[in-house]
Amino acid sequence: MKRTLSVPGIAYGGDYNPEQWPEEVWAEDMRLMREAGVTMVSVGIFSWALLEPVEGVYDFSRMDRILDLLHENGIAADLATPTAAPPAWFFRAHPEALPVDRDGRTLSYGSRQTFCPSSPAYREAALRIAGKLAERYADHPAVAMWHVHNEYGCHNAECYCDTSAASFRGWLRAKYGDDLAALNHAWGTAFWSQWYYDWDEILPPRATGAVPNPTHRLDWRRFCSDELLALYTAERDVLRAAAPSIPATTNFMVNFSFEALDYWRWAPELDVVSNDHYLCSTDPESQIDIALSGDLMRSMAGGPWFLMEHSTGAVNWQPVNRAKGPGELRRNALAHVAHGADGIAYFQWRASKAGAEQWHSAMLPHAGTDTQIWRDVVRLGADLKALAEVRGSTGTAEVAIVWDYNARWALELPSQPSAEVRFEDLVRAWYEPLWRAGVAVDFVRPDADLSPYRLVLAPSLYLVDDAGAANLTGFAERGGTLAVGFHSGAVDENCHVRLGGYPGAFREALGVRSDELFPLLPGETVPLSGGGTATLWSERLRLEGAEAVSSYEEGPLKGVPAVTRHAHGEGTAWYLATRPDPDALDSLLTRIRGEAGVEPVRTAPEGVEVVRRRGPSADYLFVIDHTGRGARVTVAEDAVELLTGKPAPGSVTVEPGEVAVVREPRRP
C-alpha cells in the first residue's frame, strides 16, 4: 500500500540546511518562508556528522529545535536520513568502505557519496542512523515524509572493489539459478576465451586492454542499479517499521545527464515518486527537456509526482552556469506542475556562503530579499496556493513512447556500428515534434499495457526481449499504430544479435529486412525522396510486404527505402531506417499521428505550450508562452483562470512570457 503526503495543495519549499547558519538566522528563515508561502522543507540531508559526531554517540538537540521551529510556523518537514555523506570518522574506522573506480584507484572521502554501495560496514552504519532518526521522530508532528538518502548513484553508481565483486557474483548466482553454464551461454564467453569455470573467476568489468564483453557490462549495470535499490529499501523498511503511516521517497535524477539507475524498477518501491531536474545551460530549448522529464516521471509514478529539487537560477556544476531569464523561474516551475508535479521544491532555501555549492542559486539569494529571484519566489508561492485544487489530477495521452534503461545501456556500449547513436538524442528527436504540436505523451516500458493508446513510438529499442517485442507488435495487430526507429530489435535481453537480418525482433511486423548497416559519418547527409535528408544512419533495406514511403536519392543505397509503412493485423507498423532531419521527421510524425487519429490537446500558436491535467470533475489547461509574444487560446465558455480567479469565457489570453491555468468543468 502506497502512503500519501498529508501536506495539502501543491507543496512548496526546498532543501533547508540551517546547520550552515547561526541559530539567530533561523527566526528570519521562518518569517521569510511564511512570506514566500513555503509549506514543506527537506531537512537533515547532509547532517550525519552533526547527528552522530562519534560512532554510536548521538546529538539530536539541533534537529529537535529545527523540527519544533518548523512545526510552530506551520511548515512540514521532509526529514532525511543523512546517509549520502558519511562522516570522516566512519572512513577512518572503515577505509575498506571507500569506493574504487574502474582503473583500480581508491577514492578518498571529503565530498559526498564516497562509499561503496556493497560495503557491509556502510550498510550497518546507515541503517543504524536511520533507525535512530525513526525512533526519535516517528511521532513528531512536523514530519510529513521521509527523505531517504539523496540522489542515489549520483557519484558512486559503480564501485569496482573486491567487496563489490563478491556482491556481483552473488547477484549473478541468483539471476542464473547458480548455473554457471547458463551464465556462460548468456555472456557468450566462448568468444575471446572468456569461459568461466568457477564463480570466483568473475570480476566487475574493470579496465582492460580491449573492449569488454557487452553482456558482462550490461549485467553489471543491472547489478549496480539493484544494489543501490537494496540500500534504499533497507532504509525505507527501517523507517516504515517505526512510522507505518509516513510516506517515504528518494529523489530520482530524470534529466539530461543521468542514466545509471533503472527507475522503472525503483518507482514501485516509493510511496511518493520524486525527481531532481536541472536545465542544461547549452540547451536553447530546455523547456522541452522539462516537458519530457515531467512526462517520464508522471509515467513512472502512474500519476502525480514530486519535484524535489530544481534551481531558481544558475547551478554551479556545469562549465558555464547560466542564470534564468525574466519569467523563466515561474515558467519552469509551472511547467513541472503541468506535467504532473504535485510538489515544487528547490535546492536550496538559503544560498550557501561556503562549501562546494556556494555558487548554486537558492530561493533566498546571497543578495537577500531585494532581488528578482526573491520576488519571483514569493509570486510563485501565491501561484501554487491558487492551484491547490489541481493536486491529484492526472495526465491524458493517446501516444506512448517506449523508454527502456536496458536498451539504453546496451546501445551505448562500445563497439557499436556508430558511436554517434545515443538513446536520449533519438527519443528527444521524436518527442520534440509532438511537444511542438501540443500532443500529450506518456512513456512506457516495452512490456506495459498499451491498450490506452492509439499510437506507440519506439525511437530507440536496440535491446528487447521476446515478450516486449511481442507486446509491441501485438499492439499493431490489434489495431494500433506502431512506429519503430532504426537499430531497434537488434539484440535480445542478453545482448545477442537476433540472426536472420535486421531489424531483428520487428522484421515480420514491419514487413522489411536489412542485410547490412550503413551508418553515416558525422555531418554526412543523404537526400530523401519527397524532401528532407537522412542523417546519422542508413541501412540496405528491402521490402517484404511493406511499402516505401521515402527512399535515398544518392549514394550507395540510392533507391533503397528509408521509411516504410506496413499493414500488420488490424493496425499499421512504420519503420524509420534513418534519422530524418528535424523538419522531415516532424512532417512524418504528423502524418503518422494523423493516421492514428491523435489530436493536440488544444490548438495554439507555435511556441505556446498547452498541457492538460484531468481531475474528477474538471480539466486544467496550462498555457505557457515560451515565445515572449503572448497568445490567445480557445477554452470552454464556463472556464475560469485560476491564477487570477477571473472567468475566461471562450478564450484565455496569456501575456508575453507568462502562464495561465484554466479550469474547464467536465460534464457527463
Side-chain angles (χ1 to χ4, degrees):
M1 179 191 72
K2 290 216 172 190
R3 294 133 184 91
T4 57
L5 182 63
S6 60
V7 178
I10 307 295
Y12 184 44
D15 287 13
Y16 183 40
N17 299 298
E19 64 272 10
Q20 297 178 13
W21 301 94
E23 197 157 344
E24 55 265 25
V25 174
W26 298 1
E28 181 187 34
D29 286 334
M30 296 301 107
R31 177 180 64 81
L32 292 176
M33 284 182 190
R34 293 196 305 272
E35 180 181 334
V38 167
T39 58
M40 186 170 80
V41 293
S42 296
V43 292
I45 294 173
F46 297 113
S47 60
W48 195 342
L50 299 176
L51 294 174
E52 190 178 7
V54 178
E55 184 168 8
V57 176
Y58 302 94
D59 180 1
F60 292 109
S61 58
R62 182 184 288 102
M63 184 61 73
D64 289 345
R65 296 194 299 278
I66 292 167
L67 291 177
D68 289 347
L69 191 61
L70 289 171
H71 181 61
E72 290 165 10
N73 284 272
I75 299 167
D78 174 32
L79 180 56
T81 62
T83 53
W89 61 254
F90 171 79
F91 292 110
R92 290 185 66 190
H94 302 285
E96 78 284 357
L98 289 165
V100 174
D101 71 12
R102 190 166 179 261
D103 294 317
R105 297 174 301 177
T106 299
L107 305 182
S108 179
Y109 60 90
S111 58
R112 63 179 188 174
Q113 291 190 343
T114 50
F115 63 87
C116 164
S118 299
S119 165
Y122 168 78
R123 183 184 178 102
E124 179 183 350
L127 295 185
R128 187 174 66 239
I129 186 68
K132 291 294 183 181
L133 277 169
E135 177 184 316
R136 189 171 188 89
Y137 298 116
D139 297 319
H140 196 288
V143 178
M145 185 160 64
W146 298 117
H147 184 310
V148 182
H149 197 81
N150 186 72
E151 295 184 336
Y152 275 100
C154 185
H155 308 286
N156 65 338
E158 300 175 81
C159 174
Y160 294 83
C161 72
D162 289 341
T163 301
S164 295
S167 294
F168 182 41
R169 288 190 288 269
W171 183 91
L172 291 170
R173 294 181 81 143
K175 176 178 180 180
Y176 292 104
D178 212 23
D179 185 347
L180 196 52
L183 177 141
N184 279 304
H185 172 74
W187 286 17
T189 55
F191 189 81
W192 277 1
S193 190
Q194 294 176 342
W195 196 273
Y196 296 104
Y197 291 95
D198 191 293
W199 290 100
D200 287 342
E201 295 171 354
I202 300 173
L203 298 173
R206 295 167 177 163
T208 61
V211 177
N213 180 312
T215 319
H216 183 180
R217 180 69 184 162
L218 179 60
D219 267 350
W220 171 252
R221 297 296 297 270
R222 292 163 170 160
F223 157 75
C224 291
S225 178
D226 284 356
E227 194 78 339
L228 286 165
L229 177 56
L231 288 178
Y232 166 77
T233 57
E235 285 196 37
R236 179 207 62 193
D237 290 349
V238 166
L239 299 168
R240 187 172 285 176
S245 63
I246 298 178
T249 191
T250 191
N251 35 346
F252 292 178
M253 290 175 287
V254 174
N255 56 46
F256 67 92
S257 62
F258 188 78
E259 44 74 57
L261 305 180
D262 183 352
Y263 285 134
W264 288 116
R265 288 177 60 82
W266 283 62
E269 301 293 344
L270 277 63
D271 293 311
V272 177
V273 177
S274 302
N275 193 44
D276 294 352
H277 184 275
Y278 292 98
L279 305 183
C280 176
S281 292
T282 57
D283 184 351
E285 294 186 293
S286 54
Q287 64 269 21
I288 301 176
D289 190 63
I290 290 175
L292 190 158
S293 171
D295 287 344
L296 182 54
M297 283 301 302
R298 186 190 66 250
S299 302
M300 289 176 173
W305 53 279
F306 195 104
L307 181 65
M308 189 63 72
E309 287 184 27
H310 68 313
S311 65
T312 57
V315 298
N316 71 302
W317 42 267
Q318 298 183 40
V320 176
N321 296 291
R322 182 182 69 82
K324 292 189 176 183
E328 192 174 4
L329 180 155
R330 185 171 184 254
R331 289 195 303 275
N332 289 172
L334 294 180
H336 283 295
V337 176
H339 290 274
D342 271 2
I344 295 293
Y346 289 94
F347 181 83
Q348 58 180 320
W349 162 251
R350 183 184 284 269
S352 300
K353 66 178 181 180
E357 294 181 295
Q358 66 192 98
W359 291 111
H360 195 295
S361 62
M363 299 175 78
L364 183 60
H366 291 138
T369 57
D370 186 16
T371 56
Q372 187 60 52
I373 282 181
W374 175 252
R375 288 186 284 273
D376 288 346
V377 162
V378 173
R379 184 186 182 193
L380 179 60
D383 288 338
L384 296 177
K385 184 177 181 181
L387 297 180
E389 69 181 80
V390 173
R391 175 178 171 159
S393 57
T394 61
T396 59
E398 295 179 323
V399 179
I401 294 178
V402 181
W403 179 290
D404 184 68
Y405 285 97
N406 284 272
R408 180 176 185 171
W409 294 335
L411 177 68
E412 296 175 4
L413 290 169
S415 294
Q416 282 285 336
S418 172
E420 299 297 311
V421 178
R422 290 179 288 271
F423 176 89
E424 193 160 0
D425 292 347
L426 297 175
V427 172
R428 173 152 166 174
W430 287 40
Y431 179 87
E432 279 195 28
L434 300 171
W435 180 87
R436 294 186 192 283
V439 173
V441 172
D442 284 343
F443 286 88
V444 294
R445 293 168 50 150
D447 60 353
D449 176 11
L450 303 178
S451 61
Y453 307 107
R454 293 175 179 266
L455 174 61
V456 173
L457 307 176
S460 182
L461 197 60
Y462 169 67
L463 177 151
V464 65
D465 62 18
D466 291 346
N471 189 47
L472 293 167
T473 57
F475 168 76
E477 287 176 10
R478 294 185 295 273
T481 299
L482 173 69
V484 177
F486 65 83
H487 209 30
S488 292
V491 300
D492 66 13
E493 66 273 20
N494 292 320
C495 248
H496 293 195
V497 173
R498 294 179 179 274
L499 304 179
Y502 320 115
F506 300 113
R507 283 197 312 267
E508 182 180 348
L510 297 172
V512 297
R513 180 177 180 273
S514 296
D515 69 343
E516 191 167 4
L517 308 176
F518 286 75
L520 302 178
L521 297 174
E524 183 182 5
T525 63
V526 180
L528 293 170
S529 63
T533 57
T535 67
L536 194 65
W537 189 272
S538 63
E539 52 191 69
R540 186 161 53 213
L541 188 72
R542 77 171 184 232
L543 304 177
E544 295 191 342
E547 61 177 298
V549 175
S550 68
S551 303
Y552 307 106
E553 291 198 316
E554 294 179 3
L557 300 182
K558 183 177 181 180
V560 171
V563 178
T564 64
R565 180 182 183 277
H566 183 230
H568 183 63
E570 300 297 318
T572 307
W574 292 73
Y575 185 50
L576 280 65
T578 186
R579 177 176 175 173
D581 68 75
D583 289 342
L585 182 59
D586 188 345
S587 296
L588 183 61
L589 289 175
T590 298
R591 175 181 169 182
I592 292 171
R593 69 173 175 82
E595 289 188 11
V598 173
E599 297 294 334
V601 169
R602 195 65 49 93
T603 300
E606 183 178 354
V608 177
E609 182 179 7
V610 181
V611 186
R612 178 172 57 209
R613 289 183 62 165
R614 173 153 288 170
S617 59
D619 285 345
Y620 301 98
L621 289 183
F622 288 72
V623 185
I624 307 170
D625 175 46
H626 298 291
T627 69
R629 298 187 295 270
R632 177 173 290 182
V633 174
T634 300
V635 297
E637 289 296 331
D638 53 355
V640 174
E641 203 288 311
L642 295 179
L643 298 177
T644 61
K646 296 179 179 179
S651 68
V652 65
T653 298
V654 58
E655 299 299 327
E658 295 288 350
V659 182
V661 184
V662 177
R663 181 211 297 130
E664 293 184 321
R666 287 172 50 228
R667 296 171 181 80

